[in-house]
Amino acid sequence: MVAEILDGKQIASSIENEIIEETKELIEKYGVTPGLAVILVGSDPGSQVYVNIKKKTSSRLSFHFEDYLFPDTAKEEEIIELIQRLNKDDKIHGILVQLPLPKHLDENRILSAISPEKDVDGLHPLNMGKLLLKQEGFIPNTPAGILEMLKRSNIEVRGKDVVIVNRSKIVGRPLMALLINNDATVTVCHTKTKDIKLHMSRADILVAAVGIPNFVTADMVKEGAIVIDVGINRVEGKLCGDVDFENVRKKASYITPVPGGVGPLTAIMLMRNVLLAAKLSLKK
Ligand code: GUN
């Protein structure tokens, strides 16, 4: 078997066109332009790249965009003060604090300061709790992007055994909840899992977000499995994921490439949340 490649760029591009259409309507009918504010603390090169992608995507969609850059030495209070100001700003419908934050800052306190109605990253405890309870709320972008990619590729998750190798608040935990809500059977593996290979080899859908190149090799993958690679690693200046793509491809039924897989979907799902936040602001 040679896996079909799930083209994240193409799927993201059709979602982008849908957002452009809906944004036009929102502007024409209500005079509301979706607005996103991104807060970046410190000089992590990866984070700078991600913020630039958000800026460019906002510009393509004609969203209003503001970025706020703080030095590594920034104080928690000044960031919280900015968030409180943005919470009240009618031009801004979505607020995102780029992670990771420098060690001296309390990430939970900062994320909790964002108004849940503007929490387009879905990382506020209220939205995370709603996801767990299967209530409407903002869903974190990477999990939302993964599910959207599967849905648009006509891959059913109901009844499937999904194995996620990650337990972070950005990927593993919300993806677990989202998949349970969509009737999958979910196993979450992490650094203390006893026999990770055994779990992985039983997966109908395997999601890897480990941060180690070639972590997933063909011998760990079930024949015909769907392999979703969330890793972003740099090897000799080139981007690669967590999956030994060429060999795993020969065994899987579907596989996502890196780059061009989950990444573009994550970026566009954020914008869809900003549009949703702008629409919901009309109902207040
Ligand atoms: N850093 C890496 N991924 C993410 C994400 O989804 N949200 C935020 N805020 N920071 C990130």
Side-chain angles (χ1 to χ4, degrees):
M1 178 174 273
V2 177
E4 193 174 314
I5 293 175
L6 295 170
D7 186 344
K9 260 172 109 171
Q10 201 186 338
I11 299 170
S13 158
S14 46
I15 299 171
E16 184 165 321
N17 289 333
E18 293 164 15
I19 297 175
I20 289 172
E21 283 308 306
E22 287 180 44
T23 302
K24 262 192 213 152
E25 199 182 310
L26 194 68
I27 296 174
E28 278 166 19
K29 270 200 191 155
Y30 302 101
V32 171
T33 302
L36 170 65
V38 174
I39 300 170
L40 172 62
V41 188
S43 47
D44 177 63
S47 292
Q48 286 171 347
V49 171
Y50 294 136
V51 170
N52 271 327
I53 292 173
K54 288 166 188 138
K55 191 174 190 165
K56 277 193 195 150
T57 314
S58 293
S59 153
R60 281 205 308 277
L61 298 169
S62 24
F63 281 13
H64 173 69
F65 182 88
E66 295 178 9
D67 51 0
Y68 294 89
L69 311 176
F70 287 89
D72 282 299
T73 52
K75 294 208 171 52
E76 208 163 289
E77 285 319 313
E78 45 180 340
I79 298 164
I80 292 197
E81 269 168 35
L82 169 64
I83 292 173
Q84 285 167 344
R85 182 159 68 71
L86 294 168
N87 281 342
K88 291 189 208 128
D89 185 339
D90 289 341
K91 291 193 303 303
I92 297 299
H93 304 99
I95 303 169
L96 181 141
V97 176
Q98 187 66 37
L99 301 177
L101 287 169
K103 290 271 177 293
H104 68 282
L105 298 172
D106 182 345
E107 189 176 293
N108 286 332
R109 190 168 164 239
I110 289 175
L111 293 176
S112 300
I114 299 171
S115 161
E117 287 105 67
K118 298 195 178 188
D119 172 39
V120 285
D121 226 5
L123 300 178
H124 187 286
L126 186 75
N127 283 314
M128 200 62 90
K130 283 185 169 180
L131 176 60
L132 202 57
L133 295 169
K134 206 180 177 185
Q135 294 175 9
E136 293 268 316
F138 291 108
I139 297 170
N141 304 301
T142 303
I146 292 171
L147 190 69
E148 193 69 26
M149 177 185 244
L150 294 172
K151 280 192 176 160
R152 289 187 186 233
S153 309
N154 297 317
I155 297 169
E156 178 69 75
V157 301
R158 175 183 298 173
K160 294 260 167 69
D161 284 319
V162 185
V163 175
I164 306 167
V165 192
N166 183 289
R167 58 170 158 177
S168 71
K169 68 173 154 211
I170 294 177
V171 181
R173 285 164 201 260
L175 181 60
M176 171 197 76
L178 190 61
L179 289 168
I180 293 171
N181 293 347
N182 283 273
D183 301 324
T185 302
V186 185
T187 303
V188 179
C189 297
H190 47 77
T191 47
K192 306 292 183 294
T193 300
K194 262 193 281 174
D195 194 344
I196 209 160
K197 282 189 192 176
L198 180 72
H199 289 290
M200 285 166 60
S201 65
R202 289 178 175 161
D204 299 320
I205 302 178
L206 176 61
V207 182
V210 184
I212 303 172
N214 294 322
F215 180 85
V216 179
T217 49
D219 56 308
M220 302 175 192
V221 173
K222 190 165 85 171
E223 191 77 39
I226 295 150
V227 180
I228 311 291
D229 192 348
V230 189
I232 301 180
N233 308 298
R234 210 169 270 279
V235 176
E236 292 165 0
K238 263 183 75 180
L239 278 187
C240 69
D242 292 342
V243 176
D244 174 5
F245 183 84
E246 285 314 323
N247 290 311
V248 171
R249 200 189 164 191
K250 292 176 195 149
K251 217 169 165 189
S253 57
Y254 292 92
I255 190 167
T256 64
V258 177
V262 174
L265 273 145
T266 297
I268 206 66
M269 295 317 274
L270 168 68
M271 300 302 158
R272 207 163 80 167
N273 272 348
V274 177
L275 174 64
L276 175 65
K279 283 184 179 172
L280 291 173
S281 76
L282 295 171
K283 295 192 180 151
K284 279 202 297 183

